[in-house]
Amino acid sequence: IVRPFSEIPGLWRNGVANLYNFWKLDGFRNLHRIMLQNFNTFGPIYREKIGYYESVNIINPEDAAILFKAEGHYPKRLKVEAWTSYRDYRNRKYGVLLKNGEDWRSNRVILNKEVISLKVLENFVPLLDEVGQDFVARVHKKIKRSGQNKWTTDLSQELFKYALESVSTVLYGERLGLMLDYIDPEAQHFIDCITLMFKTTSPMLYIPPGLLRLIGAKVWRDHVEAWDGIFNQADRCIQNIYRQLRQETGNPEKYPGVLASLLMLDKLSIEDIKASVTELMAGGVDTTSITLLWTLYELARHPNLQEELRAEVAAARAESKGDLQEMLKRIPLVKGALKETLRLHPVAVSLQRYIAEDIIIQNYHIPAGTLVQLGLYAMGRDPKVFFRPEQYLPSRWLRTETHYFRSLGFGFGPRQCLGRRIAETEMQIFLIHMLENFRVEKQRHMEVQSTFELILLPEKPIILTLKPL
Ligand code: HEM
Ligand code: 2DC
């Protein structure tokens, strides 16, 4: 017999009291750990309400499958009100990230062809390879300058620049020059604005931005300032390409980048193109860079594994005779390492959908329209889902054991991450070049946890040492 929605365990009767407790637990930064604890307390399904944010939470891959089968034709995830409020406030259009319904679908279909289809990969690979090579050259220079034949540092700022340079080359078909010694203060400001934007979003998941705006709260003012900086920089880049295109100064042989392709295709309005390209540029920085930082951290902690990956890359290089796209087909363990990083250190703590139809999960009835969240961080660490979850084992993704709804770092289905192909390719190429050039080491006894600032970030700087091979 199916149990009613009201019997799902959890704390969902008093949103304000729960918000108070959440705040006492420093929940704004501990969301991932609190979710994990809730699954321990309540089991594989629980209902919750913090402030005005209400959801049903699940953890099992089999239940995730039920959730995504009920996502409907226009999958809708949690509405991040801070982001929509900013756009409403400044009268800016929503891009693909924030649109819903038919408007989302029609934009997404066109963007898919230019951003995530396999056909554009051949255009992206040479551009991303160039950035990867420049990153390596930059590290070699830093090592030389240190006079110690090694470079010990917190790589996060370097990785932000690498990620911004990578996504910009693909979007605009030209380099920003962030791998040089002098970096444009405007690019640095853009990077800082993205970090601030994420950080100021998380409290506004639970306290309505409209209210914070009314009382002139600092978090709202900072949030506006952050998005203003993001949009100003993106506008400058977009205007620049738009002008070039109208003067037709581009080389017709050369791949012109995502933005110019969309403009020439002429299927989306310029305002729609601008909105989505801005989101792609902003979404492409902290996500890949932090994932790469966690991967280097794990490789530093597992030197034997690092050698195995290096051997795989060397063999792939030899077999593909310089064809990088071929090479990318021969590095399953490198790809497994990236999946393993996203299992233990996912960018997104959860995936969510407002379900389009009634479903039954764990024998509870859940009505259409409910916000259902899959606890991605909790699932990645659940011993019932992954054998010895605490171990970083890229090879678990090679074996034939079931991967059914277990590799969800980029989300699922038609609403999955639009930047997935760019992200995966950019990260694989980065690891290839790093493994071919440097050994990564860490300081002794370094354990780093995650902190939640809308995306999951390392709670303290990760200091690594790079040595030339
Ligand atoms: C959406 C993860 C990199 C742009 C998402 C979602 C996740 C995600 C989990 C939600 C998917 C869902 O609801 O099913 C990641 C991870 C990344 C990454 C783990 C890197 C390691 C990027 C990059 C870009 C990007 C590089 C831009 C170039 C977007 C956009 C959406 C999105 C635009 C919204 C798509 C839509 O609503 O239709 N990402 N992302 N992401 N991501 Fe990423
Ligand atoms: C954060 O409870 C936790 O890819 C909330 O590139 C639920 C939630 C909703 C939407 C998620 C968000 C979480 C984490 C960050 C995500 C976002 C959707 C897209 C965004 C996963 C899990 C991200 C990082 C995009 C951001 C693009 C933007 C900066 C233009």
Side-chain angles (χ1 to χ4, degrees), residues 77 96 104 108 280 283-284 287 291 353 409-412 415 417:
R77 72 173 78 86
V96 72
W104 166 76
R108 174 82 199 214
L280 285 168
T287 46
T291 307
R353 294 289 184 265
F410 290 98
F412 178 83
R415 188 114 217 195
C417 178

Side-chain angles (χ1 to χ4, degrees), residues 53-71:
Y53 182 174
E54 205 177 342
S55 64
V56 169
N57 293 267
I58 59 172
I59 188 170
N60 288 329
E62 293 70 24
D63 297 340
I66 300 173
L67 164 62
F68 287 113
K69 272 172 198 137
E71 69 175 3

Side-chain angles (χ1 to χ4, degrees), residues 53 78 97 197-198 205 279 283 287 348-350 352 452 454-455:
Y53 182 174
L78 171 75
L97 171 76
M197 180 276 291
F198 280 128
L205 289 174
E279 289 171 356
T287 46
V349 258
S350 74
Q352 340 73 41
F452 175 77
L454 198 82
I455 57 174

Side-chain angles (χ1 to χ4, degrees), residues 103-118:
D103 188 27
W104 166 76
R105 205 199 58 90
S106 57
N107 275 255
R108 174 82 199 214
V109 165
I110 294 161
L111 289 165
N112 279 346
K113 287 199 208 93
E114 300 303 325
V115 183
I116 190 174
S117 75
L118 279 172

Side-chain angles (χ1 to χ4, degrees), residues 50-299:
I50 305 171
Y52 70 110
Y53 182 174
E54 205 177 342
S55 64
V56 169
N57 293 267
I58 59 172
I59 188 170
N60 288 329
E62 293 70 24
D63 297 340
I66 300 173
L67 164 62
F68 287 113
K69 272 172 198 137
E71 69 175 3
H73 289 300
Y74 306 113
K76 196 172 157 220
R77 72 173 78 86
L78 171 75
K79 177 174 164 188
V80 179
E81 262 193 56
W83 298 351
T84 54
S85 294
Y86 170 81
R87 280 147 179 89
D88 298 345
Y89 177 60
R90 288 286 194 232
N91 248 316
R92 291 190 181 270
K93 280 207 97 171
Y94 296 2
V96 72
L97 171 76
L98 300 175
K99 284 179 188 288
N100 278 312
E102 186 49 42
D103 188 27
W104 166 76
R105 205 199 58 90
S106 57
N107 275 255
R108 174 82 199 214
V109 165
I110 294 161
L111 289 165
N112 279 346
K113 287 199 208 93
E114 300 303 325
V115 183
I116 190 174
S117 75
L118 279 172
K119 112 181 184 268
V120 287
L121 216 55
E122 62 185 281
N123 297 322
F124 294 172
V125 166
L127 293 171
L128 295 171
D129 187 27
E130 215 183 277
V131 183
Q133 287 179 20
D134 288 357
F135 187 87
V136 164
R138 182 170 167 80
V139 175
H140 276 303
K141 203 149 88 185
K142 294 275 187 188
I143 291 174
K144 197 164 272 165
R145 277 190 207 156
S146 78
Q148 297 180 305
N149 205 33
K150 65 181 182 189
W151 187 33
T152 300
T153 187
D154 169 9
L155 275 173
S156 53
Q157 282 301 321
E158 294 297 327
L159 291 169
F160 287 155
K161 288 190 274 175
Y162 170 78
L164 178 56
E165 183 80 31
S166 294
V167 74
S168 302
T169 336
V170 164
L171 291 177
Y172 306 121
E174 56 183 39
R175 297 291 299 272
L176 293 186
L178 302 179
M179 301 287 95
L180 306 173
D181 278 334
Y182 169 80
I183 94 141
D184 176 9
E186 288 178 339
Q188 186 59 55
H189 183 63
F190 180 77
I191 291 172
D192 298 339
C193 283
I194 296 173
T195 310
L196 181 64
M197 180 276 291
F198 280 128
K199 194 189 174 80
T200 51
T201 302
S202 56
M204 289 193 269
L205 289 174
Y206 309 100
I207 307 166
L211 176 68
L212 292 167
R213 186 181 141 190
L214 211 70
I215 62 172
K218 178 160 163 47
V219 61
W220 167 257
R221 285 183 281 127
D222 286 349
H223 193 67
V224 169
E225 197 187 300
W227 274 122
D228 281 347
I230 292 168
F231 274 94
N232 286 339
Q233 178 67 5
D235 280 346
R236 269 194 294 272
C237 295
I238 294 168
Q239 281 309 324
N240 183 27
I241 298 297
Y242 190 68
R243 212 176 314 115
Q244 280 180 33
L245 212 60
R246 289 181 53 175
Q247 296 165 345
E248 291 178 291
T249 49
N251 169 2
E253 311 278 280
K254 186 174 142 260
Y255 170 66
V258 170
L259 171 61
S261 303
L262 287 168
L263 289 169
M264 291 188 292
L265 200 62
D266 201 24
K267 284 192 180 157
L268 293 177
S269 74
I270 295 190
E271 290 309 309
D272 274 340
I273 294 176
K274 275 183 168 180
S276 285
V277 167
T278 303
E279 289 171 356
L280 285 168
M281 193 178 171
V285 180
D286 298 35
T287 46
T288 50
S289 51
I290 294 299
T291 307
L292 287 172
L293 185 59
W294 281 123
T295 306
L296 294 178
Y297 165 76
E298 294 292 356
L299 296 186

